Amino acid sequence: MRQPLSLLLFVCFGIAIACPALAADGKSSSGAGIALTVGVALYDGNASQCGEANALSVSIGDQVDVCYTVTNSSGLTLNYQSLSDDVAGVLLHDTDVAIAPGASYQFHRVFSPRVSQSPTATWTAQDALAGYGASEGNAAFVDISATGSPLSLSDDDDTIVTMPFAYTLYGQAVPFLCINNNGFIVASNQFDCSGYSNNAELPFAAFPSPAIMPFWDDLYDGGNVYYQSLGDAPNRQFVVEWFDKNHYDANQDDPGGITFEVVFNEADTTLDFVYQTLEFGALGGAADDGLSATVGMQESPTLFNTYSYDTASLHDGQVIHWAQTAPTIYSATQQVTIEVGAPVLALDAQSLSATAAAGQQTTATLGIGNSGNRDLHWSLDEAVTPQSSGSGAVTLASSATPAQTAAQRSNLMRAAPVPRRDDADKPRTLAGAMTVPAFLIDEAESGFRFGSLDASQPSTFAPIAALASDVIYRSGTFVGGDFSREYLAGNSNDLHTRAIATIDTATGMLAELPDSAPLAANEGWIGLKWDASTSTLYGAACDPISPDGECHLYYVDPLNGSILQGPAISGFQGQYFLIDIAISPQGLMYSVDIFSGAFIAIDKLSGAAHVIGNTGVAPNFAQSLDFDASSGTLYWPSYDVAGAARMLTIDINTGSVHTLGALLDNDDQFGFAIATLAGACAQPDNVPWLSETAVAGTTLAGNSDADTIVFDASSLSPGTYSANLCVSSDDPDHRLTAVPVSFTVLAPDDDLIFADGFDPVGG
């Protein structure tokens, strides 16, 4: 349904509203048929604000509103809108919003820039989608049941066949067809398209694409399915015929079946759905004429063409002719500039030490400098010195991984099937402070939702925003201790799109990184994790098509998403197919094998994988893992083959799991990232003998301030004490810095003059 211009639309990557054009101060350009104006301003929380400047100077951490206004100067109503820029990537894609001649439409992108940039925006508006239009055809039914090749498909089964001539659908080459017994075809050999017995209204996000549905219903194993190429080039036809197919709901003994076919026309790349008979018989009309079927075509969740859904819209002898539409498309571009500055923390000491006699006080000075070009805001706290938790080494045990087929691996790239519920969208909130704060993507019946939860209380999921994307963002992580945005990696079901993106944890605004995902052929993202021990962003990708299911590590640039391929992930007896990667605070990498449930340690340099132990879980569909950096606990929101969704923790020494509880509504949850810090200052605590004269302050750009640190031995016995002074700041690269502190307390009769260890002269 097209949205009226007066409607306020909240979308996962921005806010779109209808409004008049901007003042002339904003950057604007006119293309044939449309004019685009772009303005920038600091975001003030007002969804209707629209900046009038074409350049802006901000600090890292500031929220910037980029306001795009398009005006329709053509004589056509422009029904579909697309917007992208060369920094943020795709913002709108064929969004169904009608703009009448002379009207304007506005879109806001609110984000926190980290680097200076001059994005060039491109707005495209068109009157219709570049899809397919349906019309009544006049093709004759060609029965190939006596001459065609039989597929002999069982219930819900499929077979992949090769197209005999070059053919395109939705602009994509179609060398293969996956033909399903249930009355549909997927134009791909990338996935096993078996199943899908329950038809659904389009768009159907779980469908591999492009998909062709002449009669998608729960058909059974009566009759047969045939295919045959007819005629001579360049006027050949490829026919797929469902002959005398009965319906599953007729107790599998329906004496009557329906017969229909799809005809692919080489000459003009059109298609025909041709129906011979459409009455099943024993069902008494409950499924006749398309009453329980979906008829149409789909390229993606944003580009589909529905003829009918659960409607008796068909009749014997009918022909539906599908031809590509020729939309009128207008485009305009514009550029703005955002100059980003940042404070830079510059401490004059990496550690502090002091000596005092028991019962006395002394002081030291900590210089807090700012070598950046924005004001530095800082605060001080203390933390006790953490006890050593060991090296984090694990005991490795060998284990073979059974060979798996490409068909078995295909589920890894799909989301889980969604059970039907009536309460999927009721609001939920988190009660109290979160012990283990985390963000993730929940797959409810209503679709994908980004939200937060306390990983220690797994039923506490609180939605933040809906995600309208055909990409399933499987893995998530936070980079450099910045919890304002999560990095995500994922793929569309058919691997046509493979993307790395960021999502604002406050608003759910999603922005794809522009240079992301030039992966090896057939690989899809399964993991993305920040290694705090080396300040490296690692990705992992696997190939569900190859016989070995090969996986690789990748090095990812968090600024632009560009990647460099690393080593193959391999075991001593074959290669594993992973659900995600997780990196411990000590920098050790782990994963779980989706087939065996084995818990695996991975060498980051060589890619060598070794089995530690078995989790006892049979994982299925999208999965993710992450460490609570403050405690070193590995969490796993799992979804198993039995359809149970649980939050687990994994013992990294044995692979055994502990269940914390069920996930909300038994939903599949992924893109999981825990928002905690590791290190000496991860858990600040009061240190009685240590205090600061100023606990917070602002240091101007280019300046330095001195803070007096007080060491108090009034309640201490002689000895040496240690702690950490924790410096929090808005320097994006040094948000939390630990300054080790040592305090030596001497007995009252000790000589402080020689407390530094020097011998007296002549001694």
Side-chain angles (χ1 to χ4, degrees):
M1 178 182 297
R2 295 191 181 98
Q3 307 296 338
L5 279 175
S6 61
L7 183 65
L8 182 65
L9 284 178
F10 292 94
V11 292
C12 66
F13 36 68
I15 305 168
I17 63 173
C19 71
L22 294 181
D25 301 82
K27 278 252 184 175
S28 64
S29 77
S30 297
I34 62 172
L36 175 64
T37 302
V38 183
V40 289
L42 284 172
Y43 181 58
D44 62 2
N46 180 4
S48 63
Q49 79 162 358
C50 207
E52 299 181 356
N54 55 42
L56 186 67
S57 179
V58 301
S59 298
I60 285 185
D62 289 341
Q63 285 192 305
V64 174
D65 177 86
V66 184
C67 179
Y68 311 82
T69 300
V70 63
T71 300
N72 182 1
S73 55
S74 76
L76 300 173
T77 296
L78 301 176
N79 296 307
Y80 298 95
Q81 315 303 321
S82 295
L83 171 64
S84 64
D85 74 36
D86 53 4
V87 173
V90 176
L91 302 173
L92 299 174
H93 177 65
D94 293 336
T95 300
D96 190 359
V97 175
I99 306 177
S104 296
Y105 184 76
Q106 187 182 102
F107 178 84
H108 290 264
R109 180 166 75 96
V110 180
F111 74 114
S112 297
R114 293 180 61 85
V115 295
S116 297
Q117 54 194 260
S118 297
T120 298
T122 300
W123 192 294
T124 301
Q126 55 198 80
D127 61 340
L129 292 179
Y132 283 79
S135 61
E136 293 299 316
N138 55 12
F141 184 85
V142 180
D143 187 4
I144 61 170
S145 60
T147 58
S149 300
L151 295 180
S152 302
L153 300 176
S154 59
D155 182 36
D156 298 339
D157 199 6
D158 72 295
T159 293
I160 294 175
V161 301
T162 302
M163 282 290 288
F165 46 76
Y167 196 84
T168 59
L169 278 173
Y170 292 100
Q172 302 178 41
V174 179
F176 303 98
L177 300 177
C178 184
I179 302 170
N180 188 289
N181 187 66
N182 289 320
F184 70 85
I185 297 170
V186 173
S188 173
N189 72 332
Q190 300 289 305
F191 290 96
D192 172 10
C193 69
S194 62
Y196 300 100
S197 57
N198 296 321
N199 72 301
E201 188 172 7
L202 301 183
F204 182 58
F207 241 148
S209 58
I212 304 160
M213 294 151 278
F215 200 101
W216 176 23
D217 201 348
D218 193 2
L219 305 181
Y220 199 48
D221 57 6
N224 213 325
V225 181
Y226 301 90
Y227 69 94
Q228 185 176 359
S229 180
L230 304 174
D232 299 316
N235 298 300
R236 288 170 289 183
Q237 293 181 314
F238 187 67
V239 180
V240 180
E241 177 182 343
W242 286 261
F243 173 76
D244 200 25
K245 298 301 297 180
N246 56 343
H247 200 282
Y248 184 88
D249 288 341
N251 298 317
Q252 297 87 53
D253 58 1
D254 191 345
I258 64 172
T259 298
F260 60 94
E261 65 188 10
V262 175
V263 180
F264 297 85
N265 300 303
E266 179 185 26
D268 55 7
T269 65
T270 61
L271 304 95
D272 290 294
F273 296 173
V274 189
Y275 302 92
Q276 187 182 54
T277 58
L278 292 170
E279 294 183 1
F280 288 100
L283 282 174
D288 293 350
D289 301 326
L291 190 57
S292 66
T294 301
V295 180
M297 298 175 62
Q298 176 176 299
E299 190 272 339
S300 70
T302 58
L303 181 52
F304 57 93
N305 305 94
T306 301
Y307 185 83
S308 65
Y309 168 67
D310 285 354
T311 304
S313 61
L314 306 176
H315 58 80
D316 292 354
Q318 183 176 0
V319 179
I320 303 175
H321 183 70
W322 295 92
Q324 286 187 290
T325 59
T328 300
I329 302 174
Y330 299 116
S331 183
T333 63
Q334 196 47 259
Q335 185 180 53
V336 293
T337 297
I338 303 170
E339 187 268 325
V340 180
V344 177
L345 176 67
L347 299 176
D348 70 348
Q350 301 303 308
S351 63
L352 293 176
S353 62
T355 301
Q360 302 299 311
Q361 284 189 353
T362 188
T363 61
T365 300
L366 179 66
I368 302 173
N370 178 8
S371 59
N373 56 6
R374 296 291 189 274
D375 292 349
L376 175 76
H377 303 90
W378 53 266
S379 63
L380 299 182
D381 208 336
E382 307 106 39
V384 297
T385 301
Q387 298 298 313
S388 173
S389 58
S391 65
V394 295
T395 302
L396 304 180
S398 62
S399 175
T401 300
Q404 304 293 336
T405 65
Q408 288 173 300
R409 283 191 294 275
S410 65
N411 273 354
L412 179 64
M413 298 305 176
R414 300 176 182 171
V418 180
R420 294 188 180 274
R421 294 187 303 277
D422 296 328
D423 62 345
D425 296 315
K426 64 185 180 183
R428 299 171 176 87
T429 58
L430 295 175
M434 290 186 285
T435 303
V436 185
F439 294 85
L440 48 74
I441 296 167
D442 174 83
E443 188 185 12
E445 183 181 1
S446 57
F448 298 126
R449 304 179 298 174
F450 177 71
S452 63
L453 60 68
D454 185 339
S456 67
Q457 303 289 329
S459 63
T460 58
F461 178 80
I464 294 173
L467 295 186
S469 173
D470 63 347
V471 174
I472 299 171
Y473 287 103
R474 308 174 44 79
S475 184
T477 193
F478 290 106
V479 170
D482 180 0
F483 302 130
S484 66
R485 62 175 185 170
E486 180 184 352
Y487 283 75
L488 297 167
N491 325 279
S492 58
N493 268 330
D494 58 0
L495 293 185
H496 179 68
T497 303
R498 300 173 290 178
I500 295 175
T502 61
I503 189 165
D504 188 298
T505 55
T507 65
M509 289 185 297
L510 188 70
E512 183 178 324
L513 299 186
D515 296 333
S516 64
L519 293 173
N522 298 325
E523 284 192 342
W525 289 115
I526 57 92
L528 186 71
K529 287 294 182 292
W530 176 252
D531 180 4
S533 70
T534 61
S535 297
T536 303
L537 183 58
Y538 283 93
C542 288
D543 179 356
I545 306 303
S546 73
D548 294 326
E550 186 173 77
C551 301
H552 281 93
L553 289 179
Y554 286 85
Y555 309 101
V556 183
D557 186 332
L559 290 179
N560 58 26
S562 62
I563 65 173
L564 176 66
Q565 189 182 83
I569 302 173
S570 61
F572 54 90
Q573 288 189 355
Q575 295 174 328
Y576 301 108
F577 203 74
L578 312 178
I579 64 168
D580 193 3
I581 55 174
I583 301 177
S584 73
Q586 294 80 21
L588 301 175
M589 183 181 290
Y590 301 91
S591 188
V592 173
D593 176 35
I594 197 169
F595 301 118
S596 66
F599 182 59
I600 296 168
I602 301 171
D603 187 303
K604 295 181 299 187
L605 296 179
S606 68
H610 305 276
V611 172
I612 295 173
N614 201 291
T615 64
V617 178
N620 197 20
F621 299 108
Q623 307 273 317
S624 57
L625 304 162
D626 201 18
F627 275 93
D628 174 3
S630 66
S631 68
T633 302
L634 179 56
Y635 286 79
W636 177 13
S638 72
Y639 191 97
D640 64 26
V641 294
R646 301 171 294 161
M647 182 67 76
L648 308 174
T649 59
I650 303 177
D651 186 323
I652 63 173
N653 295 301
T654 66
S656 62
V657 301
H658 172 70
T659 301
L660 295 178
L663 299 178
L664 177 69
D665 292 333
N666 214 45
D667 289 345
D668 189 15
Q669 295 181 341
F670 36 87
F672 176 64
I674 297 177
T676 58
L677 292 169
C681 287
Q683 298 181 11
D685 195 7
N686 180 53
V687 178
W689 51 265
L690 184 65
S691 62
E692 307 81 35
T693 302
V695 296
T698 299
T699 301
L700 302 180
N703 286 9
S704 181
D705 294 312
D707 196 5
T708 301
I709 311 302
V710 180
F711 297 78
D712 184 359
S714 60
S715 300
L716 299 180
S717 301
T720 300
Y721 299 85
S722 62
N724 285 280
L725 194 62
C726 302
V727 184
S728 299
S729 76
D730 54 1
D731 176 346
D733 296 322
H734 301 90
R735 294 184 180 274
L736 185 61
T737 303
V739 180
V741 174
S742 175
F743 186 27
T744 300
V745 179
L746 303 176
D749 56 351
D750 286 347
D751 191 343
L752 288 177
I753 296 176
F754 304 111
D756 60 4
F758 288 102
D759 292 332
V761 176

